[in-house]
Amino acid sequence: QVQLQQWGAGLLKPSETLSLTCAVSGESFSDYFWAWIRQPPGKGLEWIGEVRHSGNFNYNPSLKTRVTISLDTSKTHFTLNLGSVTAADTAVYYCARQNHKAAAGTFGVKVFDSWGQGTLVTVSS
Amino acid sequence: DIQMTQSPPSLSASVGDGVNITCRTSQTISNYLNWYQQRPGKAPKFLIYGVSNLQTGVPSRFSGSGSGTDFTLTISGLQAEDFATYYCQQSYRTPWTFGQGTTVEVK
């Protein structure tokens, strides 16, 4: 049973860099994409990006210029860095595993099937 | 980006009721549609993938249907633990996008 445990600074000032880490246990690190998703207070979910052990990555174009997601395979951690934060980046940030499920009428469906506990990051001067 | 529109934004129901939540996409996504449940203060929980396939352990009172651009999550016989917010999500093309959520509240 995979477990994701995340941590990082919860209060930032505008223009600083957000940095969060997610530790993965209980499952092979190399077989999946590992993702970050955020949720502003009272709002819906926004996919930030994802990275795979092989080095493949995908980022949301809306955040691409400010985002880096990296892997530390020796420690089975992955990290989100989001630069030049503003109040609009205030949100609960989740790490998640992206799995691949077989389904009729598809070539396999990508799903976020395991999630970290979430970290509230507040950006305020 | 593929836009996801859920309706209604919220609904009130009682234990034992059946409810339907609709998700409409801005372009056809074939069967690449998933559903999640989120209880207050908790991380989302993965429920259904590929429109109608239940994740292991999800009760059979949950079901999904639809195709193309119109999809439905049905809960038949609401239980107390089902009062939560539900999100649809497309996995047809990046950026992966979610609906804005439908909150199922106690009447």
Side-chain angles (χ1 to χ4, degrees), chain A:
Chain A
Q1 182 79 1
V2 63
Q3 292 190 333
L4 287 76
Q5 181 73 29
Q6 58 183 102
W7 65 88
L11 181 60
L12 296 174
K13 290 182 168 52
S15 79
E16 292 184 334
T17 295
L18 178 158
S19 184
L20 298 173
T21 298
C22 184
V24 178
S25 61
E27 189 60 83
S28 171
F29 195 58
S30 61
D31 293 342
Y32 302 94
F33 271 97
W34 301 96
W36 290 96
I37 295 163
R38 70 180 183 178
Q39 185 172 36
K43 296 188 178 180
L45 299 160
E46 179 182 32
W47 172 76
I48 298 170
E50 62 201 20
V51 65
R52 192 181 173 101
H53 181 270
S54 59
N56 293 343
F57 58 87
N58 297 302
Y59 294 142
N60 193 321
S62 68
L63 298 167
K64 187 175 183 178
T65 60
R66 300 193 288 132
V67 171
T68 303
I69 299 175
S70 58
L71 290 173
D72 182 338
T73 56
S74 64
K75 296 181 180 178
T76 62
H77 293 172
F78 61 108
T79 297
L80 168 69
N81 285 300
L82 178 67
S84 304
V85 297
T86 69
D89 296 310
T90 294
V92 175
Y93 287 75
Y94 294 99
C95 58
R97 182 179 76 172
Q98 186 194 92
N99 204 345
H100 199 249
K101 306 283 280 187
T106 74
F107 295 103
V109 179
K110 296 178 175 67
V111 301
F112 299 108
D113 67 345
S114 296
W115 296 66
Q117 79 276 19
T119 301
L120 174 61
V121 177
T122 302
V123 181
S124 174
S125 56

Side-chain angles (χ1 to χ4, degrees), chain B residues 15-26:
Chain B
V15 172
D17 286 351
V19 300
N20 290 313
I21 298 169
T22 298
C23 178
R24 176 165 290 173
T25 61
S26 60

Side-chain angles (χ1 to χ4, degrees), chain A residues 39 50 101 104 107 110 112, chain B residues 31-32 34 36 38 87 96:
Chain A
Q39 185 172 36
E50 62 201 20
K101 306 283 280 187
F107 295 103
K110 296 178 175 67
F112 299 108
Chain B
N31 290 345
Y32 293 85
N34 309 316
Y36 299 82
Q38 187 177 35
Y87 294 93
W96 316 125

